Amino acid sequence: MANPSTPEFALETSGEDSRLRVSGDWTVRTVQAVDEALRDLTATGSVVLDVAGLGRLDTAGAFVIDRTLRQLSDGTARIEGEHPSAENLIGQVHAVTEVEEPKRPPHGGLVDLLERTGRGFMNLVSESRAMLAFLGETLVTTFRLVLTPWKLRWTSIVSVMEEAGLDAMPIIAFLSFFVGMVVAFIGASTLQDLGSEIFVVELIGFAMLRELGVMMTGIVLAGRTNSSFTAQIGTMKMRQEIDAMQTLGLKPMDVLVAPRILAMVVTTPVLGFVATIAGIAGGVIVGWLSLDINPALFLDRLQTNVPLDQFWVGMSKAPVFGFVVALIACRQGLNVGGSVQSLGDKTTTSVVQAIFSIIVIDALFAVFYMEMGI
């Protein structure tokens, strides 16, 4: 007997209609994998069930699909796509099911608002506790492997450094170059009115060395590398490769998480340095073309009037940004369920959390250095 394929679903909402696509085998042996995720679905308007990609279906799968359709809409769902038994079997299950299925909560009203606010707060508390637990496990695993370097997977570390560092370097340098140009243009147009356009050198120096170089690196890594890590680990989770790995005695924290953490901690300062140099280069170009500041004069004034400790202030944040981006990406990847929609949701959540965390951590660093007088 052939192994059943994993059931998958995707809910697409456009206009007033929602389309639920189901694929794979929906049988008593497989529906457990998507049962929990289906209970969280919500939709508006009429619902269309697309069974074009549906494989095998038995009464258990038909019951789960029918329950989901009742949950999504009060009306009768329309079934589209060719399948030999889907419409008939789902219809029969629908006719004999007498249980009262939960309906969508009504929207609007003070009680509903308070309920959603409370649910959101509890989700935030739960998410924070889970993140702290994962952070502790990651730190313990990483320090254990650093103290026993012969157990590290150096091939994985170098591969991640190439993917997340070397491949991302042109993008980060390109964006930082134009950010430096924009800052220089803004400074030039403002300082020219005051007759102090020469101070655009200090503006570019402080901005790129202390904040923007590393900040741009963190934002790009949050959008590019973070989503890549989550998708890679999430896909392995969907294909049950992580379960197979654990069966072989391999720990996902050792094999998947620690190499990415170490690679990002090492790579991010290098990327931040490249971004800083590229941003200053953009400022030099604008100063030369718009303000007639010779590049040699620009660099000499930069070296004289911008202290070197501003560079180290920026670089001190880079490893933290790399660590946070990899930490969030790996955790969300390991939390992916058995559906494509879960993979998309976790990837989106991962990117949002990473960008949010980088901005908050940068603000905390700014307050800390201000209190330290740096």
Side-chain angles (χ1 to χ4, degrees):
M1 183 177 179
N3 291 328
S5 62
T6 304
E8 296 179 348
F9 66 88
L11 182 63
E12 302 171 358
T13 302
S14 60
E16 298 180 352
D17 296 333
S18 298
R19 175 178 291 269
L20 178 64
R21 299 180 187 274
V22 292
S23 58
D25 293 340
W26 290 63
T27 65
V28 68
R29 298 176 58 190
T30 61
V31 291
Q32 186 65 31
V34 294
D35 181 68
E36 184 177 352
L38 286 170
R39 294 177 184 272
D40 296 331
L41 292 180
T42 58
T44 57
S46 60
V47 175
V48 177
L49 175 65
D50 189 341
V51 297
L54 182 61
R56 287 181 293 176
L57 178 71
D58 63 8
T59 53
F63 172 82
V64 172
I65 293 176
D66 178 65
R67 186 199 64 196
T68 305
L69 296 177
R70 292 170 183 258
Q71 171 186 326
L72 295 177
S73 174
D74 296 330
T76 303
R78 189 171 75 254
I79 299 179
E80 291 184 356
E82 296 292 333
H83 192 275
S85 61
E87 185 169 2
N88 182 38
L89 196 54
I90 294 174
Q92 291 185 20
V93 170
H94 182 84
V96 300
T97 301
E98 297 179 352
V99 294
E100 186 69 22
E101 296 296 334
K103 301 295 184 183
R104 293 172 297 163
H107 296 288
L110 180 60
V111 175
D112 184 52
L113 174 63
L114 294 176
E115 180 185 354
R116 283 186 285 140
T117 303
R119 189 181 297 116
F121 176 77
M122 294 308 298
N123 289 337
L124 178 63
V125 172
S126 176
E127 183 73 11
S128 299
R129 291 179 58 186
M131 177 59 79
L132 287 175
F134 189 76
L135 171 64
E137 186 178 3
T138 301
L139 289 175
V140 170
T141 301
T142 304
F143 281 123
R144 175 172 55 80
L145 291 176
V146 169
L147 295 177
T148 55
W150 58 90
K151 294 183 179 179
L152 282 172
R153 295 180 174 271
W154 292 102
T155 304
S156 299
I157 294 175
V158 173
S159 175
V160 173
M161 290 175 68
E162 179 185 1
E163 177 192 351
L166 195 61
D167 294 347
M169 191 174 292
I171 300 173
I172 292 175
F174 194 72
L175 292 177
S176 299
F177 178 80
F178 283 101
V179 168
M181 292 185 69
V182 169
V183 174
F185 270 121
I186 295 173
S189 60
T190 303
L191 294 173
Q192 265 185 332
D193 298 337
L194 304 174
S196 306
E197 58 269 24
I198 190 64
F199 288 106
V200 76
V201 178
E202 284 81 351
L203 175 63
I204 290 294
F206 280 98
M208 296 308 302
L209 289 174
R210 188 180 180 105
E211 291 293 340
L212 295 182
V214 179
M215 175 68 85
M216 286 302 301
T217 302
I219 297 296
V220 172
L221 290 179
R224 180 184 182 277
T225 306
N226 177 277
S227 59
S228 173
F229 285 175
T230 303
Q232 289 171 358
I233 298 176
T235 303
M236 294 179 67
K237 186 80 178 294
M238 290 173 56
R239 294 176 177 172
Q240 299 180 341
E241 294 177 17
I242 295 179
D243 295 336
M245 188 184 301
Q246 291 174 317
T247 304
L248 295 174
L250 300 174
K251 298 179 180 177
M253 295 297 292
D254 292 4
V255 178
L256 299 177
V257 179
R260 285 173 169 79
I261 294 288
L262 292 173
M264 291 297 292
V265 169
V266 173
T267 303
T268 308
V270 179
L271 294 175
F273 175 76
V274 172
T276 302
I277 297 299
I280 292 176
V284 170
I285 296 297
V286 172
W288 191 12
L289 298 179
S290 299
L291 304 175
D292 200 22
I293 301 176
N294 187 279
L297 174 62
F298 190 105
L299 296 177
D300 181 67
R301 187 176 177 85
L302 180 70
Q303 185 177 7
T304 304
N305 295 330
V306 180
L308 185 61
D309 59 2
Q310 299 301 310
F311 170 75
W312 294 117
V313 167
M315 285 297 103
S316 66
K317 296 182 281 188
V320 180
F321 287 173
F323 178 83
V324 170
V325 167
L327 180 77
I328 294 174
C330 293
R331 178 173 175 269
Q332 294 299 334
L334 291 173
N335 286 342
V336 170
S339 66
V340 176
Q341 184 174 5
S342 175
L343 177 61
D345 291 343
K346 295 302 180 185
T347 303
T348 303
T349 302
S350 181
V351 173
V352 172
Q353 286 187 355
I355 294 176
F356 177 82
S357 301
I358 285 174
I359 294 174
V360 171
I361 291 172
D362 188 70
L364 294 177
F365 266 109
V367 173
F368 173 74
Y369 284 126
M370 183 179 67
E371 293 296 326
M372 295 292 292
I374 302 176

